[in-house]
Protein backbone atom coordinates (compact mmCIF):
# COMPACT_ATOMS: atom_id res chain seq x y z
CA UNK A 1 0.00 0.00 0.00
CA UNK A 2 1.50 3.32 -1.11
CA UNK A 3 -0.94 5.53 0.84
CA UNK A 4 -4.01 5.30 3.05
CA UNK A 5 -7.08 6.12 0.92
CA UNK A 6 -9.22 6.86 3.98
CA UNK A 7 -7.14 9.98 4.72
CA UNK A 8 -8.01 11.58 1.37
CA UNK A 9 -11.18 13.13 -0.07
CA UNK A 10 -12.89 12.66 -3.43
CA UNK A 11 -11.77 15.48 -5.70
CA UNK A 12 -14.36 18.20 -6.27
CA UNK A 13 -16.36 18.15 -9.49
CA UNK A 14 -16.47 21.96 -9.50
CA UNK A 15 -14.80 23.21 -12.69
CA UNK A 16 -11.95 25.70 -12.83
CA UNK A 17 -13.42 29.20 -13.11
CA UNK A 18 -11.02 32.15 -13.06
CA UNK A 19 -13.63 34.61 -11.82
CA UNK A 20 -14.55 32.39 -8.88
CA UNK A 21 -10.91 31.64 -8.10
CA UNK A 22 -9.97 35.33 -8.04
CA UNK A 23 -12.93 36.09 -5.78
CA UNK A 24 -11.89 33.33 -3.37
CA UNK A 25 -8.32 34.69 -3.24
CA UNK A 26 -9.63 38.19 -2.50
CA UNK A 27 -11.80 36.79 0.28
CA UNK A 28 -8.80 35.11 1.94
CA UNK A 29 -6.76 38.31 1.74
CA UNK A 30 -9.64 40.39 3.12
CA UNK A 31 -10.03 37.98 6.04
CA UNK A 32 -6.30 38.25 6.82
CA UNK A 33 -6.50 42.04 6.73
CA UNK A 34 -9.47 42.08 9.09
CA UNK A 35 -7.80 39.70 11.55
CA UNK A 36 -4.52 41.63 11.87
CA UNK A 37 -3.69 43.43 15.13
CA UNK A 38 -0.58 45.68 15.39
CA UNK A 39 0.41 44.16 18.72
CA UNK A 40 -0.76 40.55 18.65
CA UNK A 41 -0.35 40.21 14.85
CA UNK A 42 -2.68 37.31 13.91
CA UNK A 43 -4.68 34.88 16.05
CA UNK A 44 -2.72 31.67 16.51
CA UNK A 45 -4.15 28.27 15.74
CA UNK A 46 -3.83 25.79 18.61
CA UNK A 47 -1.69 23.39 16.55
CA UNK A 48 0.55 26.18 15.24
CA UNK A 49 1.04 27.68 18.69
CA UNK A 50 1.84 24.44 20.54
CA UNK A 51 4.67 25.16 23.03
CA UNK A 52 5.38 28.47 21.26
CA UNK A 53 5.58 32.00 22.57
CA UNK A 54 2.92 34.38 21.27
CA UNK A 55 2.62 36.23 19.00
CA UNK A 56 3.82 33.81 16.36
CA UNK A 57 6.36 35.46 14.06
CA UNK A 58 7.95 32.59 12.09
CA UNK A 59 7.86 31.99 8.36
CA UNK A 60 6.31 28.57 8.90
CA UNK A 61 3.25 29.35 11.02
CA UNK A 62 3.64 33.00 12.01
CA UNK A 63 3.43 36.59 10.88
CA UNK A 64 6.56 36.51 8.71
CA UNK A 65 5.00 33.96 6.38
CA UNK A 66 1.67 35.75 6.16
CA UNK A 67 3.21 39.15 5.52
CA UNK A 68 5.65 37.71 2.99
CA UNK A 69 2.77 36.08 1.11
CA UNK A 70 0.64 39.21 1.03
CA UNK A 71 3.59 41.39 0.09
CA UNK A 72 4.64 38.92 -2.60
CA UNK A 73 1.25 39.35 -4.25
CA UNK A 74 1.37 43.16 -3.89
CA UNK A 75 -1.47 43.01 -1.40
CA UNK A 76 -2.56 46.20 0.35
CA UNK A 77 -1.79 44.66 3.72
CA UNK A 78 1.75 43.86 2.66
CA UNK A 79 2.38 47.48 1.67
CA UNK A 80 0.76 48.85 4.80
CA UNK A 81 2.87 46.64 7.02
CA UNK A 82 6.31 47.28 5.55
CA UNK A 83 7.74 47.92 9.01
CA UNK A 84 6.06 44.85 10.45
CA UNK A 85 7.44 42.76 7.60
CA UNK A 86 10.99 43.73 8.53
CA UNK A 87 10.36 42.91 12.20
CA UNK A 88 8.63 39.62 11.47
CA UNK A 89 11.29 38.43 9.05
CA UNK A 90 14.04 39.39 11.48
CA UNK A 91 12.32 37.34 14.18
CA UNK A 92 12.02 34.39 11.83
CA UNK A 93 15.71 34.52 10.88
CA UNK A 94 16.61 34.21 14.55
CA UNK A 95 14.32 31.24 15.03
CA UNK A 96 14.41 27.67 13.80
CA UNK A 97 14.38 26.70 10.12
CA UNK A 98 11.45 25.01 8.40
CA UNK A 99 12.64 21.59 9.48
CA UNK A 100 14.55 20.40 12.51
CA UNK A 101 17.29 17.80 12.37
CA UNK A 102 16.26 14.52 13.93
CA UNK A 103 19.53 12.74 13.26
CA UNK A 104 17.82 10.67 10.55
CA UNK A 105 17.96 11.39 6.80
CA UNK A 106 14.57 12.49 5.49
CA UNK A 107 13.54 12.63 1.83
CA UNK A 108 10.62 15.03 2.29
CA UNK A 109 10.49 18.70 1.44
CA UNK A 110 9.91 20.66 4.66
CA UNK A 111 12.08 18.48 6.88
CA UNK A 112 14.35 16.80 4.37
CA UNK A 113 16.99 16.85 1.72
CA UNK A 114 14.85 18.06 -1.19
CA UNK A 115 14.46 21.62 0.03
CA UNK A 116 18.01 21.73 1.40
CA UNK A 117 19.30 20.96 -2.08
CA UNK A 118 17.01 23.59 -3.61
CA UNK A 119 18.39 26.23 -1.25
CA UNK A 120 21.93 25.45 -2.35
CA UNK A 121 20.96 25.41 -6.02
CA UNK A 122 19.73 28.99 -5.55
CA UNK A 123 22.88 29.94 -3.71
CA UNK A 124 24.59 32.05 -6.36
CA UNK A 125 28.19 32.62 -5.35
CA UNK A 126 27.67 30.40 -2.31
CA UNK A 127 27.15 27.40 -4.57
CA UNK A 128 27.80 28.40 -8.24
CA UNK A 129 26.03 26.73 -11.15
CA UNK A 130 29.08 24.75 -12.27
CA UNK A 131 28.83 22.77 -9.02
CA UNK A 132 25.11 22.00 -9.25
CA UNK A 133 25.66 18.52 -10.68
CA UNK A 134 27.53 17.65 -7.50
CA UNK A 135 24.21 17.99 -5.71
CA UNK A 136 21.66 16.88 -8.26
CA UNK A 137 23.19 13.57 -9.35
CA UNK A 138 23.67 11.96 -5.91
CA UNK A 139 20.36 13.35 -4.67
CA UNK A 140 18.51 11.88 -7.65
CA UNK A 141 20.26 8.56 -7.03
CA UNK A 142 19.22 8.64 -3.37
CA UNK A 143 15.60 9.29 -4.33
CA UNK A 144 15.79 6.43 -6.80
CA UNK A 145 17.13 4.04 -4.12
CA UNK A 146 14.47 4.96 -1.58
CA UNK A 147 11.42 5.06 -3.86
CA UNK A 148 8.74 2.45 -3.24
CA UNK A 149 7.21 1.73 -6.65
CA UNK A 150 4.07 -0.30 -7.34
CA UNK A 151 2.16 -0.53 -10.62
CA UNK A 152 3.74 2.61 -12.04
CA UNK A 153 3.11 4.69 -8.91
CA UNK A 154 5.71 5.84 -6.36
CA UNK A 155 5.97 7.14 -2.82
CA UNK A 156 8.84 7.66 -0.39
CA UNK A 157 9.18 6.76 3.31
CA UNK A 158 9.34 9.42 5.98
CA UNK A 159 13.03 8.65 6.54
CA UNK A 160 15.53 6.79 4.37
CA UNK A 161 16.21 4.42 7.25
CA UNK A 162 12.59 3.21 7.09
CA UNK A 163 12.95 1.98 3.49
CA UNK A 164 11.26 -0.12 2.16
CA UNK A 165 8.56 0.45 4.79
CA UNK A 166 6.40 3.47 4.05
CA UNK A 167 4.65 3.43 7.42
CA UNK A 168 6.35 5.69 9.97
CA UNK A 169 6.70 4.94 13.70
CA UNK A 170 3.13 6.14 14.23
CA UNK A 171 1.84 3.73 11.58
CA UNK A 172 0.90 6.51 9.18
CA UNK A 173 1.91 6.53 5.52
CA UNK A 174 2.54 10.09 4.43
CA UNK A 175 1.84 11.44 0.96
CA UNK A 176 2.24 15.18 1.47
CA UNK A 177 4.63 18.03 0.85
CA UNK A 178 6.52 17.94 4.14
CA UNK A 179 6.96 14.15 4.05
CA UNK A 180 6.44 11.70 1.22
CA UNK A 181 6.02 11.68 -2.52
CA UNK A 182 4.35 15.05 -3.02
CA UNK A 183 7.32 16.86 -1.49
CA UNK A 184 9.87 14.75 -3.33
CA UNK A 185 8.19 15.53 -6.66
CA UNK A 186 7.80 19.22 -5.85
CA UNK A 187 11.37 19.70 -4.63
CA UNK A 188 13.24 17.43 -7.06
CA UNK A 189 11.19 17.82 -10.25
CA UNK A 190 14.03 19.51 -12.12
CA UNK A 191 16.41 16.55 -11.86
CA UNK A 192 14.47 13.45 -10.76
CA UNK A 193 14.45 10.67 -13.36
CA UNK A 194 11.33 11.36 -15.43
CA UNK A 195 9.67 7.97 -15.11
CA UNK A 196 10.01 8.15 -11.35
CA UNK A 197 8.84 11.77 -11.31
CA UNK A 198 5.67 10.87 -13.21
CA UNK A 199 5.08 7.85 -10.98
CA UNK A 200 5.20 10.06 -7.89
CA UNK A 201 2.96 12.71 -9.41
CA UNK A 202 0.44 10.16 -10.66
CA UNK A 203 0.07 8.80 -7.12
CA UNK A 204 -0.62 12.35 -5.84
CA UNK A 205 -3.32 12.75 -8.49
CA UNK A 206 -4.95 9.36 -7.92
CA UNK A 207 -4.96 9.76 -4.14
CA UNK A 208 -6.77 13.08 -4.44
CA UNK A 209 -6.83 15.94 -1.93
CA UNK A 210 -5.88 15.24 1.70
CA UNK A 211 -8.86 15.24 4.05
CA UNK A 212 -9.70 18.02 6.45
CA UNK A 213 -7.77 16.42 9.30
CA UNK A 214 -4.58 17.02 7.33
CA UNK A 215 -5.96 20.23 5.91
CA UNK A 216 -5.67 22.38 2.88
CA UNK A 217 -2.32 24.11 3.28
CA UNK A 218 1.12 23.75 1.79
CA UNK A 219 2.85 21.71 4.48
CA UNK A 220 0.60 18.65 4.62
CA UNK A 221 -2.51 19.61 2.70
CA UNK A 222 -4.10 20.03 -0.69
CA UNK A 223 -2.13 23.09 -1.78
CA UNK A 224 1.22 21.43 -1.07
CA UNK A 225 0.27 18.30 -2.98
CA UNK A 226 -0.98 20.50 -5.80
CA UNK A 227 2.44 22.10 -6.19
CA UNK A 228 3.77 18.65 -7.15
CA UNK A 229 1.38 18.69 -10.10
CA UNK A 230 2.46 22.20 -11.08
CA UNK A 231 6.11 21.14 -10.98
CA UNK A 232 5.44 18.27 -13.38
CA UNK A 233 3.72 20.71 -15.71
CA UNK A 234 6.86 22.86 -15.63
CA UNK A 235 9.10 19.85 -16.33
CA UNK A 236 7.00 18.26 -19.10
CA UNK A 237 5.02 21.21 -20.58
CA UNK A 238 2.04 18.83 -20.56
CA UNK A 239 -1.10 20.96 -20.04
CA UNK A 240 -2.83 17.99 -18.42
CA UNK A 241 -0.79 18.54 -15.27
CA UNK A 242 -1.72 22.23 -15.14
CA UNK A 243 -5.38 21.26 -15.44
CA UNK A 244 -4.95 18.75 -12.62
CA UNK A 245 -3.24 21.33 -10.43
CA UNK A 246 -6.12 23.73 -11.04
CA UNK A 247 -8.62 21.08 -9.93
CA UNK A 248 -6.63 20.75 -6.70
CA UNK A 249 -6.70 24.55 -6.33
CA UNK A 250 -10.49 24.66 -6.64
CA UNK A 251 -10.74 21.91 -4.04
CA UNK A 252 -8.34 23.67 -1.66
CA UNK A 253 -10.31 26.91 -1.89
CA UNK A 254 -13.46 24.96 -1.09
CA UNK A 255 -11.73 23.46 1.93
CA UNK A 256 -10.83 26.98 3.09
CA UNK A 257 -14.50 27.93 2.94
CA UNK A 258 -15.55 24.79 4.81
CA UNK A 259 -13.01 25.30 7.57
CA UNK A 260 -13.74 29.00 7.94
CA UNK A 261 -17.48 28.29 8.21
CA UNK A 262 -16.81 25.76 10.98
CA UNK A 263 -14.27 27.87 12.91
CA UNK A 264 -15.82 31.28 12.34
CA UNK A 265 -12.48 32.69 11.13
CA UNK A 266 -9.49 31.80 9.03
CA UNK A 267 -6.18 30.20 9.93
CA UNK A 268 -3.32 32.64 9.54
CA UNK A 269 -0.06 31.03 8.53
CA UNK A 270 1.78 30.47 5.27
CA UNK A 271 2.39 26.73 5.48
CA UNK A 272 -0.66 25.51 7.41
CA UNK A 273 -3.18 28.29 6.90
CA UNK A 274 -5.49 29.79 4.30
CA UNK A 275 -2.88 31.98 2.63
CA UNK A 276 -1.13 28.88 1.22
CA UNK A 277 -4.12 27.81 -0.91
CA UNK A 278 -4.53 31.44 -1.98
CA UNK A 279 -0.95 31.52 -3.26
CA UNK A 280 -1.34 28.13 -4.89
CA UNK A 281 -4.52 29.22 -6.67
CA UNK A 282 -2.83 32.43 -7.80
CA UNK A 283 0.08 30.40 -9.15
CA UNK A 284 -2.36 28.18 -11.04
CA UNK A 285 -3.88 31.32 -12.56
CA UNK A 286 -0.44 32.52 -13.68
CA UNK A 287 0.94 29.05 -14.56
CA UNK A 288 3.68 29.84 -12.08
CA UNK A 289 5.37 26.85 -10.44
CA UNK A 290 7.64 28.20 -7.68
CA UNK A 291 6.76 26.88 -4.23
CA UNK A 292 6.51 29.87 -1.86
CA UNK A 293 9.67 30.75 0.05
CA UNK A 294 11.59 27.54 -0.63
CA UNK A 295 11.98 28.07 -4.38
CA UNK A 296 12.72 31.77 -4.23
CA UNK A 297 13.61 33.77 -1.15
CA UNK A 298 15.69 36.92 -1.00
CA UNK A 299 17.12 37.53 2.45
Amino acid sequence: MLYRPETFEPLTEEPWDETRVRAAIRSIVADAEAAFDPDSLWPADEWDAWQARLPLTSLYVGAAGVVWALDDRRGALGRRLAGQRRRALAAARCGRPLGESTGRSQPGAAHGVGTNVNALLQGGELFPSERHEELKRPTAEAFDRTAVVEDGLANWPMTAEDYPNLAADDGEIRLQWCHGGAGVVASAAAYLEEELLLAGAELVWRAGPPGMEKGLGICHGTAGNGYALLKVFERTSDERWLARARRFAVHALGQVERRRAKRGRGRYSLFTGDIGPALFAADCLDSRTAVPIVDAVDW
Side-chain angles (χ1 to χ4, degrees):
M1 182 182 292
L2 295 179
Y3 74 105
R4 303 217 186 275
E6 64 273 14
T7 63
F8 292 80
E9 296 183 349
L11 184 62
T12 181
E13 295 295 330
E14 182 180 347
W16 172 261
D17 182 297
E18 288 196 10
T19 301
R20 157 134 170 69
V21 168
R22 292 183 190 279
I25 294 171
R26 288 195 298 270
S27 175
I28 291 171
V29 172
D31 179 63
E33 290 181 351
F36 176 76
D37 180 88
D39 297 316
S40 60
L41 303 178
W42 278 274
D45 181 86
E46 181 180 357
W47 187 92
D48 297 335
W50 184 70
Q51 292 189 339
R53 180 184 300 174
L54 300 180
L56 298 179
T57 59
S58 70
L59 281 168
Y60 182 57
V61 293
V66 178
V67 175
W68 178 89
L70 294 167
D71 189 52
D72 181 63
R73 291 295 165 188
R74 306 296 192 269
L77 184 60
R79 289 196 297 271
R80 193 165 71 236
L81 299 182
Q84 295 286 1
R85 180 177 188 268
R86 180 183 296 262
R87 181 171 73 86
L89 286 174
R93 292 178 68 178
C94 295
R96 297 186 177 185
L98 287 180
E100 299 180 12
S101 173
T102 62
R104 306 174 75 188
S105 53
Q106 301 188 30
H111 308 280
V113 66
T115 294
N116 293 355
V117 170
N118 271 357
L120 288 172
L121 292 177
Q122 298 174 62
E125 294 181 2
L126 177 65
F127 207 88
S129 58
E130 58 266 24
R131 297 187 59 194
H132 285 187
E133 286 303 316
E134 297 177 24
L135 282 172
K136 291 192 290 187
R137 189 184 310 109
T139 307
E141 291 172 354
F143 283 140
D144 183 70
R145 287 195 305 272
T146 56
V148 180
V149 181
E150 295 178 6
D151 299 324
L153 306 174
N155 199 1
W156 282 259
M158 188 170 176
T159 72
E161 289 78 7
D162 291 331
Y163 177 83
N165 299 314
L166 287 173
D169 293 341
D170 59 4
E172 185 175 354
I173 297 176
R174 287 169 172 80
L175 176 60
Q176 52 203 48
W177 181 78
C178 57
H179 291 296
V184 171
V185 170
S187 61
Y191 57 86
L192 198 65
E193 191 273 323
E194 185 166 319
E195 184 177 352
L196 192 56
L197 175 78
L198 294 176
E202 188 64 34
L203 179 64
V204 171
W205 170 249
R206 292 195 194 181
M212 292 297 285
E213 183 177 350
K214 281 290 183 181
L216 43 93
I218 295 173
C219 182
H220 40 259
T222 304
N225 284 23
Y227 271 110
L229 308 178
L230 273 183
K231 286 292 188 179
V232 176
F233 165 64
E234 179 184 34
R235 168 80 177 264
T236 65
S237 299
D238 185 342
E239 295 282 338
R240 175 183 54 158
W241 291 103
L242 176 59
R244 288 178 168 186
R246 286 174 169 173
R247 287 279 302 281
F248 266 52
V250 171
H251 194 100
L253 293 173
Q255 287 178 312
V256 169
E257 293 174 355
R258 275 190 273 156
R259 185 166 72 180
R260 196 189 303 173
K262 183 177 180 180
R263 293 159 53 102
R265 63 171 178 84
R267 183 171 177 177
Y268 310 104
S269 75
L270 174 55
F271 283 91
T272 63
D274 301 352
I275 204 70
L279 284 176
F280 173 56
D283 287 338
C284 285
L285 282 166
D286 300 338
S287 301
R288 172 178 165 173
T289 63
V291 178
I293 295 290
V294 298
D295 278 342
V297 59
D298 181 8
W299 289 114

